[in-house]
Amino acid sequence: MAKKPAPKKAPAKKPVAVKKPASKKPVAKKKPVVVKKPAPKKAPPAKKPVVAPKPAPAPPAKKPEPAPVMKPVFEAPAPKPAAPPVVPSPTPKLVMKTGAGGAVSLAISAQASAGAAANGNTHPANILVLVSSGGWPVTELTKDHFTLMEYFEVPGQQAPFSNNITSFRNVGTGAYLLQVKPINGAPWRSGHHLAQILVSSSDDRQGQCAAKLIIR
């Protein structure tokens, strides 16, 4: 049998020298340090807001004056002699012929139309009268300046229309519109009714004419 190896001997330990603790010196105690707190800072007083003054309105800008334009100088022509004033010739006066008594006569013309008048009814008939003097229209006449007479009565006619002006109108141009019908409400009869129209103005001017009214 194999032999077991012999156990190795452990080396002998050297005795450890025990060191004595060094004597401690008393340590002086430190005084506590007092830390001073900083005094609280006072808040600065609030400043009032400064109101900025409004700027003064700027004066309107002046437009630059235009530079003067040098105009050429021309010599003024010699003045012409003034023409003699024209003297208007006197307007010729219109000389009108006078009638009896020295009054200027009126020119009268008339046209008649049956209108709504017809045999057996009593509707008025129409008469247009034109009045002028020396070619100028006479516009200031009224119903009282007109006289109307019917002659040669138509057979069967019961009453004439003499001076029976039922309507009068002054147009203003020398024309006068008259409407007539038989007096006493008598009806018209068919035929040719002949009439005389006389006109006289307030200043003693006169004129006359004839008219024919045909009723069917």
Side-chain angles (χ1 to χ4, degrees):
M1 295 181 63
K3 296 180 178 182
K4 294 182 181 181
K8 290 180 178 181
K9 295 181 179 181
K13 293 181 180 182
K14 293 180 179 181
V16 178
V18 178
K19 292 182 178 181
K20 293 181 180 181
S23 60
K24 294 182 181 180
K25 293 181 179 181
V27 179
K29 292 182 180 181
K30 293 182 181 181
K31 293 181 179 181
V33 179
V34 179
V35 180
K36 293 183 179 181
K37 293 182 180 181
K41 294 182 180 180
K42 294 182 179 181
K47 294 183 180 181
K48 295 181 178 181
V50 180
V51 180
K54 293 182 179 180
K62 293 184 178 180
K63 294 182 180 180
E65 296 183 358
V69 179
M70 301 300 292
K71 296 182 179 181
V73 179
F74 298 98
E75 294 184 359
K80 296 181 180 181
V86 178
V87 179
S89 57
T91 304
K93 294 182 179 180
L94 181 62
V95 179
M96 300 181 184
K97 296 182 179 181
T98 59
V104 179
S105 60
L106 299 176
I108 311 297
S109 62
Q111 291 289 335
S113 172
N119 183 44
N121 69 20
T122 58
H123 296 307
N126 304 320
I127 300 178
L128 170 64
V129 182
L130 303 180
V131 184
S132 61
S133 179
W136 296 93
V138 179
T139 60
E140 70 277 6
L141 303 179
T142 64
K143 178 180 176 181
D144 296 335
H145 294 120
F146 289 78
T147 303
L148 187 62
M149 301 297 297
E150 181 185 1
Y151 299 104
F152 306 106
E153 294 181 359
V154 174
Q157 184 77 21
Q158 299 177 8
F161 57 82
S162 299
N163 287 331
N164 192 26
I165 301 176
T166 59
S167 176
F168 179 88
R169 180 182 172 192
N170 182 353
V171 179
T173 59
Y176 298 87
L177 309 181
L178 285 65
Q179 286 190 322
V180 298
K181 62 182 180 179
I183 61 176
N184 300 326
W188 290 101
R189 293 302 178 191
S190 299
H192 293 190
H193 299 259
L194 300 177
Q196 178 187 16
I197 301 174
L198 300 97
V199 181
S200 60
S201 62
S202 56
D203 56 358
D204 202 20
R205 289 178 296 173
Q206 297 180 357
Q208 63 177 337
C209 72
K212 180 172 64 173
L213 174 59
I214 302 175
I215 298 296
R216 293 185 172 84

